[in-house]
Amino acid sequence: MQPQIILLKEGTDSSQGKPQVVSNINACQIVADAVRTTLGPRGMDKLIVDGRGKATISNDGATILKLLEIVHPAAKSLVEIAKSQDAEVGDGTTSVVLLAAEFLKQCKPFIEEGVHPQVVVRAFRHGAELAVKFIQEISAKVKRGDEKEQRALLEKCAATTLNSKLIARQRDFFAKMVVDAVMLLDDLLPLKMIGTKKVPGGALEDSRLVAGVAFKKTFSYAGFEMQQKKYENPKIALLNIELELKAERDNAEIRVESVEVSAESNE
């Protein structure tokens, strides 16, 4: 039997077994510690500066993990967990990262004592089944036919998610706006149809919900100050062509085949 030969890139570190599993757990713990202080209403914001000098201030777990540029393969799994949570639920990115890291922390002593990882995984799966069963027992039933009760529950959920955001003091104002925006959608329209337009100036309470389509357009042509700024019940034309004039290219080339053609163009 010929021995197997594995070719690795220069600088590649190859390790396996129990030491590598413990190393993976330690790497995940370091990532969790980076976002641990952002959890909760009293969580602190993180200031992150990338290689191009762009500064980002946020306490959102998924945003912070994206900007950290994590290289460790096992630690990257926490980034994927936060992305999945953000895509499916839209909130709880920091909580799911800390929960996963805490699970790894609790199983670390068993790995060091020689317990096989598959045994730990089976225990986690059994614990997940018990947790789901307990959540179903304590869950509150919502009457879909009662619109007032359903709306009040949606506003409470929206206000809860805003407790840890920068607009926590205005959570009641924005919670009603968010629920109004969601209620405007029907079953065929996805949530991504709801957009946000940022306009500099004004207070947070000046934000408003437009039940329709809003475009952010800056007018810079001559005399735009005299134009009417508001129209009621207008007729809108949808065109697939551009109406704005484009500047000609400086390196345009004109070829003249005869003198008569040149004389006629000058006239």
Side-chain angles (χ1 to χ4, degrees), residues 27-50:
C28 294
Q29 290 293 318
I30 295 175
V31 174
D33 292 338
V35 296
R36 189 181 303 275
T37 56
T38 64
L39 182 65
R42 299 183 181 274
M44 297 181 294
D45 297 337
K46 296 290 185 180
L47 173 60
I48 302 175
V49 182
D50 57 11

mmCIF file with all atom_site columns, all heavy atoms in Angstrom, residues 27-50:
data_model
loop_
_atom_site.group_PDB
_atom_site.id
_atom_site.type_symbol
_atom_site.label_atom_id
_atom_site.label_alt_id
_atom_site.label_comp_id
_atom_site.label_asym_id
_atom_site.label_entity_id
_atom_site.label_seq_id
_atom_site.pdbx_PDB_ins_code
_atom_site.Cartn_x
_atom_site.Cartn_y
_atom_site.Cartn_z
_atom_site.occupancy
_atom_site.B_iso_or_equiv
_atom_site.pdbx_formal_charge
_atom_site.auth_seq_id
_atom_site.auth_comp_id
_atom_site.auth_asym_id
_atom_site.auth_atom_id
_atom_site.pdbx_PDB_model_num
ATOM 1   N N   . ALA A 1 27 ? -11.043 30.299 19.746 1.00 0.00 ? 27 ALA A N   1
ATOM 2   C CA  . ALA A 1 27 ? -11.200 31.340 18.723 1.00 0.00 ? 27 ALA A CA  1
ATOM 3   C C   . ALA A 1 27 ? -12.616 31.899 18.729 1.00 0.00 ? 27 ALA A C   1
ATOM 4   O O   . ALA A 1 27 ? -12.817 33.118 18.596 1.00 0.00 ? 27 ALA A O   1
ATOM 5   C CB  . ALA A 1 27 ? -10.850 30.768 17.346 1.00 0.00 ? 27 ALA A CB  1
ATOM 6   N N   . CYS A 1 28 ? -13.608 31.042 18.896 1.00 0.00 ? 28 CYS A N   1
ATOM 7   C CA  . CYS A 1 28 ? -14.993 31.509 18.959 1.00 0.00 ? 28 CYS A CA  1
ATOM 8   C C   . CYS A 1 28 ? -15.239 32.348 20.208 1.00 0.00 ? 28 CYS A C   1
ATOM 9   O O   . CYS A 1 28 ? -16.025 33.315 20.168 1.00 0.00 ? 28 CYS A O   1
ATOM 10  C CB  . CYS A 1 28 ? -15.945 30.318 18.924 1.00 0.00 ? 28 CYS A CB  1
ATOM 11  S SG  . CYS A 1 28 ? -15.921 29.385 17.372 1.00 0.00 ? 28 CYS A SG  1
ATOM 12  N N   . GLN A 1 29 ? -14.568 32.004 21.304 1.00 0.00 ? 29 GLN A N   1
ATOM 13  C CA  . GLN A 1 29 ? -14.710 32.794 22.522 1.00 0.00 ? 29 GLN A CA  1
ATOM 14  C C   . GLN A 1 29 ? -14.180 34.214 22.328 1.00 0.00 ? 29 GLN A C   1
ATOM 15  O O   . GLN A 1 29 ? -14.763 35.188 22.828 1.00 0.00 ? 29 GLN A O   1
ATOM 16  C CB  . GLN A 1 29 ? -13.959 32.105 23.671 1.00 0.00 ? 29 GLN A CB  1
ATOM 17  C CG  . GLN A 1 29 ? -14.591 30.819 24.154 1.00 0.00 ? 29 GLN A CG  1
ATOM 18  C CD  . GLN A 1 29 ? -15.932 31.054 24.822 1.00 0.00 ? 29 GLN A CD  1
ATOM 19  O OE1 . GLN A 1 29 ? -16.106 31.991 25.582 1.00 0.00 ? 29 GLN A OE1 1
ATOM 20  N NE2 . GLN A 1 29 ? -16.889 30.187 24.515 1.00 0.00 ? 29 GLN A NE2 1
ATOM 21  N N   . ILE A 1 30 ? -13.092 34.346 21.606 1.00 0.00 ? 30 ILE A N   1
ATOM 22  C CA  . ILE A 1 30 ? -12.519 35.680 21.356 1.00 0.00 ? 30 ILE A CA  1
ATOM 23  C C   . ILE A 1 30 ? -13.477 36.531 20.527 1.00 0.00 ? 30 ILE A C   1
ATOM 24  O O   . ILE A 1 30 ? -13.668 37.723 20.789 1.00 0.00 ? 30 ILE A O   1
ATOM 25  C CB  . ILE A 1 30 ? -11.157 35.540 20.653 1.00 0.00 ? 30 ILE A CB  1
ATOM 26  C CG1 . ILE A 1 30 ? -10.159 34.845 21.587 1.00 0.00 ? 30 ILE A CG1 1
ATOM 27  C CG2 . ILE A 1 30 ? -10.630 36.903 20.221 1.00 0.00 ? 30 ILE A CG2 1
ATOM 28  C CD1 . ILE A 1 30 ? -8.826  34.547 20.930 1.00 0.00 ? 30 ILE A CD1 1
ATOM 29  N N   . VAL A 1 31 ? -14.111 35.925 19.521 1.00 0.00 ? 31 VAL A N   1
ATOM 30  C CA  . VAL A 1 31 ? -15.073 36.665 18.705 1.00 0.00 ? 31 VAL A CA  1
ATOM 31  C C   . VAL A 1 31 ? -16.275 37.085 19.534 1.00 0.00 ? 31 VAL A C   1
ATOM 32  O O   . VAL A 1 31 ? -16.775 38.216 19.417 1.00 0.00 ? 31 VAL A O   1
ATOM 33  C CB  . VAL A 1 31 ? -15.512 35.804 17.507 1.00 0.00 ? 31 VAL A CB  1
ATOM 34  C CG1 . VAL A 1 31 ? -16.613 36.499 16.720 1.00 0.00 ? 31 VAL A CG1 1
ATOM 35  C CG2 . VAL A 1 31 ? -14.334 35.515 16.601 1.00 0.00 ? 31 VAL A CG2 1
ATOM 36  N N   . ALA A 1 32 ? -16.753 36.197 20.404 1.00 0.00 ? 32 ALA A N   1
ATOM 37  C CA  . ALA A 1 32 ? -17.897 36.531 21.252 1.00 0.00 ? 32 ALA A CA  1
ATOM 38  C C   . ALA A 1 32 ? -17.566 37.660 22.215 1.00 0.00 ? 32 ALA A C   1
ATOM 39  O O   . ALA A 1 32 ? -18.417 38.521 22.488 1.00 0.00 ? 32 ALA A O   1
ATOM 40  C CB  . ALA A 1 32 ? -18.358 35.296 22.019 1.00 0.00 ? 32 ALA A CB  1
ATOM 41  N N   . ASP A 1 33 ? -16.339 37.684 22.730 1.00 0.00 ? 33 ASP A N   1
ATOM 42  C CA  . ASP A 1 33 ? -15.950 38.757 23.640 1.00 0.00 ? 33 ASP A CA  1
ATOM 43  C C   . ASP A 1 33 ? -15.933 40.114 22.948 1.00 0.00 ? 33 ASP A C   1
ATOM 44  O O   . ASP A 1 33 ? -16.101 41.156 23.594 1.00 0.00 ? 33 ASP A O   1
ATOM 45  C CB  . ASP A 1 33 ? -14.567 38.467 24.231 1.00 0.00 ? 33 ASP A CB  1
ATOM 46  C CG  . ASP A 1 33 ? -14.583 37.269 25.173 1.00 0.00 ? 33 ASP A CG  1
ATOM 47  O OD1 . ASP A 1 33 ? -15.675 36.950 25.686 1.00 0.00 ? 33 ASP A OD1 1
ATOM 48  O OD2 . ASP A 1 33 ? -13.509 36.650 25.380 1.00 0.00 ? 33 ASP A OD2 1
ATOM 49  N N   . ALA A 1 34 ? -15.739 40.119 21.629 1.00 0.00 ? 34 ALA A N   1
ATOM 50  C CA  . ALA A 1 34 ? -15.688 41.385 20.889 1.00 0.00 ? 34 ALA A CA  1
ATOM 51  C C   . ALA A 1 34 ? -17.056 42.051 20.813 1.00 0.00 ? 34 ALA A C   1
ATOM 52  O O   . ALA A 1 34 ? -17.148 43.283 20.717 1.00 0.00 ? 34 ALA A O   1
ATOM 53  C CB  . ALA A 1 34 ? -15.134 41.151 19.486 1.00 0.00 ? 34 ALA A CB  1
ATOM 54  N N   . VAL A 1 35 ? -18.132 41.262 20.857 1.00 0.00 ? 35 VAL A N   1
ATOM 55  C CA  . VAL A 1 35 ? -19.483 41.829 20.743 1.00 0.00 ? 35 VAL A CA  1
ATOM 56  C C   . VAL A 1 35 ? -20.274 41.686 22.034 1.00 0.00 ? 35 VAL A C   1
ATOM 57  O O   . VAL A 1 35 ? -21.450 42.074 22.085 1.00 0.00 ? 35 VAL A O   1
ATOM 58  C CB  . VAL A 1 35 ? -20.252 41.144 19.589 1.00 0.00 ? 35 VAL A CB  1
ATOM 59  C CG1 . VAL A 1 35 ? -19.591 41.417 18.265 1.00 0.00 ? 35 VAL A CG1 1
ATOM 60  C CG2 . VAL A 1 35 ? -20.381 39.640 19.828 1.00 0.00 ? 35 VAL A CG2 1
ATOM 61  N N   . ARG A 1 36 ? -19.663 41.157 23.088 1.00 0.00 ? 36 ARG A N   1
ATOM 62  C CA  . ARG A 1 36 ? -20.398 40.903 24.328 1.00 0.00 ? 36 ARG A CA  1
ATOM 63  C C   . ARG A 1 36 ? -20.887 42.200 24.960 1.00 0.00 ? 36 ARG A C   1
ATOM 64  O O   . ARG A 1 36 ? -22.005 42.267 25.488 1.00 0.00 ? 36 ARG A O   1
ATOM 65  C CB  . ARG A 1 36 ? -19.497 40.145 25.305 1.00 0.00 ? 36 ARG A CB  1
ATOM 66  C CG  . ARG A 1 36 ? -20.228 39.634 26.542 1.00 0.00 ? 36 ARG A CG  1
ATOM 67  C CD  . ARG A 1 36 ? -19.256 38.923 27.478 1.00 0.00 ? 36 ARG A CD  1
ATOM 68  N NE  . ARG A 1 36 ? -18.589 37.823 26.790 1.00 0.00 ? 36 ARG A NE  1
ATOM 69  C CZ  . ARG A 1 36 ? -19.103 36.604 26.671 1.00 0.00 ? 36 ARG A CZ  1
ATOM 70  N NH1 . ARG A 1 36 ? -20.289 36.335 27.182 1.00 0.00 ? 36 ARG A NH1 1
ATOM 71  N NH2 . ARG A 1 36 ? -18.428 35.654 26.050 1.00 0.00 ? 36 ARG A NH2 1
ATOM 72  N N   . THR A 1 37 ? -20.082 43.240 24.926 1.00 0.00 ? 37 THR A N   1
ATOM 73  C CA  . THR A 1 37 ? -20.446 44.497 25.597 1.00 0.00 ? 37 THR A CA  1
ATOM 74  C C   . THR A 1 37 ? -21.492 45.297 24.834 1.00 0.00 ? 37 THR A C   1
ATOM 75  O O   . THR A 1 37 ? -21.930 46.341 25.331 1.00 0.00 ? 37 THR A O   1
ATOM 76  C CB  . THR A 1 37 ? -19.197 45.362 25.787 1.00 0.00 ? 37 THR A CB  1
ATOM 77  O OG1 . THR A 1 37 ? -18.561 45.581 24.511 1.00 0.00 ? 37 THR A OG1 1
ATOM 78  C CG2 . THR A 1 37 ? -18.205 44.693 26.716 1.00 0.00 ? 37 THR A CG2 1
ATOM 79  N N   . THR A 1 38 ? -21.903 44.856 23.653 1.00 0.00 ? 38 THR A N   1
ATOM 80  C CA  . THR A 1 38 ? -22.932 45.572 22.899 1.00 0.00 ? 38 THR A CA  1
ATOM 81  C C   . THR A 1 38 ? -24.328 45.052 23.182 1.00 0.00 ? 38 THR A C   1
ATOM 82  O O   . THR A 1 38 ? -25.299 45.589 22.637 1.00 0.00 ? 38 THR A O   1
ATOM 83  C CB  . THR A 1 38 ? -22.659 45.454 21.391 1.00 0.00 ? 38 THR A CB  1
ATOM 84  O OG1 . THR A 1 38 ? -22.768 44.073 20.992 1.00 0.00 ? 38 THR A OG1 1
ATOM 85  C CG2 . THR A 1 38 ? -21.270 45.950 21.051 1.00 0.00 ? 38 THR A CG2 1
ATOM 86  N N   . LEU A 1 39 ? -24.458 44.027 24.011 1.00 0.00 ? 39 LEU A N   1
ATOM 87  C CA  . LEU A 1 39 ? -25.756 43.392 24.229 1.00 0.00 ? 39 LEU A CA  1
ATOM 88  C C   . LEU A 1 39 ? -26.590 44.187 25.223 1.00 0.00 ? 39 LEU A C   1
ATOM 89  O O   . LEU A 1 39 ? -26.077 44.700 26.223 1.00 0.00 ? 39 LEU A O   1
ATOM 90  C CB  . LEU A 1 39 ? -25.564 41.959 24.739 1.00 0.00 ? 39 LEU A CB  1
ATOM 91  C CG  . LEU A 1 39 ? -26.830 41.141 24.977 1.00 0.00 ? 39 LEU A CG  1
ATOM 92  C CD1 . LEU A 1 39 ? -27.545 40.892 23.653 1.00 0.00 ? 39 LEU A CD1 1
ATOM 93  C CD2 . LEU A 1 39 ? -26.497 39.826 25.655 1.00 0.00 ? 39 LEU A CD2 1
ATOM 94  N N   . GLY A 1 40 ? -27.879 44.284 24.952 1.00 0.00 ? 40 GLY A N   1
ATOM 95  C CA  . GLY A 1 40 ? -28.820 44.871 25.894 1.00 0.00 ? 40 GLY A CA  1
ATOM 96  C C   . GLY A 1 40 ? -29.017 46.362 25.719 1.00 0.00 ? 40 GLY A C   1
ATOM 97  O O   . GLY A 1 40 ? -28.303 47.024 24.968 1.00 0.00 ? 40 GLY A O   1
ATOM 98  N N   . PRO A 1 41 ? -30.006 46.915 26.434 1.00 0.00 ? 41 PRO A N   1
ATOM 99  C CA  . PRO A 1 41 ? -30.273 48.361 26.334 1.00 0.00 ? 41 PRO A CA  1
ATOM 100 C C   . PRO A 1 41 ? -29.102 49.225 26.782 1.00 0.00 ? 41 PRO A C   1
ATOM 101 O O   . PRO A 1 41 ? -28.946 50.350 26.315 1.00 0.00 ? 41 PRO A O   1
ATOM 102 C CB  . PRO A 1 41 ? -31.491 48.547 27.254 1.00 0.00 ? 41 PRO A CB  1
ATOM 103 C CG  . PRO A 1 41 ? -32.086 47.189 27.402 1.00 0.00 ? 41 PRO A CG  1
ATOM 104 C CD  . PRO A 1 41 ? -30.955 46.224 27.308 1.00 0.00 ? 41 PRO A CD  1
ATOM 105 N N   . ARG A 1 42 ? -28.283 48.722 27.691 1.00 0.00 ? 42 ARG A N   1
ATOM 106 C CA  . ARG A 1 42 ? -27.129 49.479 28.179 1.00 0.00 ? 42 ARG A CA  1
ATOM 107 C C   . ARG A 1 42 ? -25.833 49.075 27.460 1.00 0.00 ? 42 ARG A C   1
ATOM 108 O O   . ARG A 1 42 ? -24.741 49.381 27.925 1.00 0.00 ? 42 ARG A O   1
ATOM 109 C CB  . ARG A 1 42 ? -26.963 49.283 29.687 1.00 0.00 ? 42 ARG A CB  1
ATOM 110 C CG  . ARG A 1 42 ? -28.168 49.761 30.495 1.00 0.00 ? 42 ARG A CG  1
ATOM 111 C CD  . ARG A 1 42 ? -27.932 49.603 31.994 1.00 0.00 ? 42 ARG A CD  1
ATOM 112 N NE  . ARG A 1 42 ? -29.086 50.026 32.760 1.00 0.00 ? 42 ARG A NE  1
ATOM 113 C CZ  . ARG A 1 42 ? -29.323 51.276 33.129 1.00 0.00 ? 42 ARG A CZ  1
ATOM 114 N NH1 . ARG A 1 42 ? -28.476 52.237 32.786 1.00 0.00 ? 42 ARG A NH1 1
ATOM 115 N NH2 . ARG A 1 42 ? -30.408 51.572 33.830 1.00 0.00 ? 42 ARG A NH2 1
ATOM 116 N N   . GLY A 1 43 ? -25.982 48.380 26.358 1.00 0.00 ? 43 GLY A N   1
ATOM 117 C CA  . GLY A 1 43 ? -24.808 47.977 25.596 1.00 0.00 ? 43 GLY A CA  1
ATOM 118 C C   . GLY A 1 43 ? -24.096 49.165 24.973 1.00 0.00 ? 43 GLY A C   1
ATOM 119 O O   . GLY A 1 43 ? -24.713 50.187 24.633 1.00 0.00 ? 43 GLY A O   1
ATOM 120 N N   . MET A 1 44 ? -22.804 49.044 24.820 1.00 0.00 ? 44 MET A N   1
ATOM 121 C CA  . MET A 1 44 ? -21.990 50.124 24.275 1.00 0.00 ? 44 MET A CA  1
ATOM 122 C C   . MET A 1 44 ? -21.806 49.938 22.774 1.00 0.00 ? 44 MET A C   1
ATOM 123 O O   . MET A 1 44 ? -21.835 48.824 22.252 1.00 0.00 ? 44 MET A O   1
ATOM 124 C CB  . MET A 1 44 ? -20.629 50.160 24.971 1.00 0.00 ? 44 MET A CB  1
ATOM 125 C CG  . MET A 1 44 ? -20.703 50.461 26.452 1.00 0.00 ? 44 MET A CG  1
ATOM 126 S SD  . MET A 1 44 ? -19.066 50.532 27.208 1.00 0.00 ? 44 MET A SD  1
ATOM 127 C CE  . MET A 1 44 ? -18.553 48.827 27.034 1.00 0.00 ? 44 MET A CE  1
ATOM 128 N N   . ASP A 1 45 ? -21.619 51.063 22.073 1.00 0.00 ? 45 ASP A N   1
ATOM 129 C CA  . ASP A 1 45 ? -21.362 51.023 20.641 1.00 0.00 ? 45 ASP A CA  1
ATOM 130 C C   . ASP A 1 45 ? -19.880 50.772 20.382 1.00 0.00 ? 45 ASP A C   1
ATOM 131 O O   . ASP A 1 45 ? -19.017 51.125 21.189 1.00 0.00 ? 45 ASP A O   1
ATOM 132 C CB  . ASP A 1 45 ? -21.782 52.342 19.973 1.00 0.00 ? 45 ASP A CB  1
ATOM 133 C CG  . ASP A 1 45 ? -23.281 52.584 20.097 1.00 0.00 ? 45 ASP A CG  1
ATOM 134 O OD1 . ASP A 1 45 ? -23.998 51.597 20.276 1.00 0.00 ? 45 ASP A OD1 1
ATOM 135 O OD2 . ASP A 1 45 ? -23.704 53.749 20.036 1.00 0.00 ? 45 ASP A OD2 1
ATOM 136 N N   . LYS A 1 46 ? -19.612 50.180 19.236 1.00 0.00 ? 46 LYS A N   1
ATOM 137 C CA  . LYS A 1 46 ? -18.245 49.907 18.824 1.00 0.00 ? 46 LYS A CA  1
ATOM 138 C C   . LYS A 1 46 ? -17.859 50.849 17.676 1.00 0.00 ? 46 LYS A C   1
ATOM 139 O O   . LYS A 1 46 ? -18.641 51.066 16.753 1.00 0.00 ? 46 LYS A O   1
ATOM 140 C CB  . LYS A 1 46 ? -18.099 48.453 18.355 1.00 0.00 ? 46 LYS A CB  1
ATOM 141 C CG  . LYS A 1 46 ? -18.351 47.421 19.438 1.00 0.00 ? 46 LYS A CG  1
ATOM 142 C CD  . LYS A 1 46 ? -17.256 47.403 20.471 1.00 0.00 ? 46 LYS A CD  1
ATOM 143 C CE  . LYS A 1 46 ? -17.487 46.278 21.473 1.00 0.00 ? 46 LYS A CE  1
ATOM 144 N NZ  . LYS A 1 46 ? -16.438 46.232 22.504 1.00 0.00 ? 46 LYS A NZ  1
ATOM 145 N N   . LEU A 1 47 ? -16.650 51.391 17.760 1.00 0.00 ? 47 LEU A N   1
ATOM 146 C CA  . LEU A 1 47 ? -16.103 52.227 16.696 1.00 0.00 ? 47 LEU A CA  1
ATOM 147 C C   . LEU A 1 47 ? -15.073 51.403 15.942 1.00 0.00 ? 47 LEU A C   1
ATOM 148 O O   . LEU A 1 47 ? -14.044 51.025 16.487 1.00 0.00 ? 47 LEU A O   1
ATOM 149 C CB  . LEU A 1 47 ? -15.455 53.495 17.267 1.00 0.00 ? 47 LEU A CB  1
ATOM 150 C CG  . LEU A 1 47 ? -14.704 54.385 16.266 1.00 0.00 ? 47 LEU A CG  1
ATOM 151 C CD1 . LEU A 1 47 ? -15.646 54.881 15.180 1.00 0.00 ? 47 LEU A CD1 1
ATOM 152 C CD2 . LEU A 1 47 ? -14.042 55.549 16.985 1.00 0.00 ? 47 LEU A CD2 1
ATOM 153 N N   . ILE A 1 48 ? -15.362 51.120 14.673 1.00 0.00 ? 48 ILE A N   1
ATOM 154 C CA  . ILE A 1 48 ? -14.509 50.270 13.848 1.00 0.00 ? 48 ILE A CA  1
ATOM 155 C C   . ILE A 1 48 ? -14.033 51.074 12.651 1.00 0.00 ? 48 ILE A C   1
ATOM 156 O O   . ILE A 1 48 ? -14.839 51.709 11.959 1.00 0.00 ? 48 ILE A O   1
ATOM 157 C CB  . ILE A 1 48 ? -15.272 49.010 13.376 1.00 0.00 ? 48 ILE A CB  1
ATOM 158 C CG1 . ILE A 1 48 ? -15.789 48.232 14.593 1.00 0.00 ? 48 ILE A CG1 1
ATOM 159 C CG2 . ILE A 1 48 ? -14.375 48.119 12.529 1.00 0.00 ? 48 ILE A CG2 1
ATOM 160 C CD1 . ILE A 1 48 ? -16.641 47.049 14.225 1.00 0.00 ? 48 ILE A CD1 1
ATOM 161 N N   . VAL A 1 49 ? -12.736 51.059 12.415 1.00 0.00 ? 49 VAL A N   1
ATOM 162 C CA  . VAL A 1 49 ? -12.124 51.759 11.289 1.00 0.00 ? 49 VAL A CA  1
ATOM 163 C C   . VAL A 1 49 ? -11.481 50.717 10.388 1.00 0.00 ? 49 VAL A C   1
ATOM 164 O O   . VAL A 1 49 ? -10.641 49.927 10.846 1.00 0.00 ? 49 VAL A O   1
ATOM 165 C CB  . VAL A 1 49 ? -11.075 52.791 11.764 1.00 0.00 ? 49 VAL A CB  1
ATOM 166 C CG1 . VAL A 1 49 ? -10.496 53.543 10.570 1.00 0.00 ? 49 VAL A CG1 1
ATOM 167 C CG2 . VAL A 1 49 ? -11.693 53.763 12.759 1.00 0.00 ? 49 VAL A CG2 1
ATOM 168 N N   . ASP A 1 50 ? -11.883 50.690 9.112  1.00 0.00 ? 50 ASP A N   1
ATOM 169 C CA  . ASP A 1 50 ? -11.330 49.700 8.193  1.00 0.00 ? 50 ASP A CA  1
ATOM 170 C C   . ASP A 1 50 ? -10.012 50.177 7.603  1.00 0.00 ? 50 ASP A C   1
ATOM 171 O O   . ASP A 1 50 ? -9.487  51.238 7.971  1.00 0.00 ? 50 ASP A O   1
ATOM 172 C CB  . ASP A 1 50 ? -12.338 49.388 7.086  1.00 0.00 ? 50 ASP A CB  1
ATOM 173 C CG  . ASP A 1 50 ? -12.755 50.636 6.309  1.00 0.00 ? 50 ASP A CG  1
ATOM 174 O OD1 . ASP A 1 50 ? -12.114 51.688 6.492  1.00 0.00 ? 50 ASP A OD1 1
ATOM 175 O OD2 . ASP A 1 50 ? -13.713 50.550 5.519  1.00 0.00 ? 50 ASP A OD2 1
#
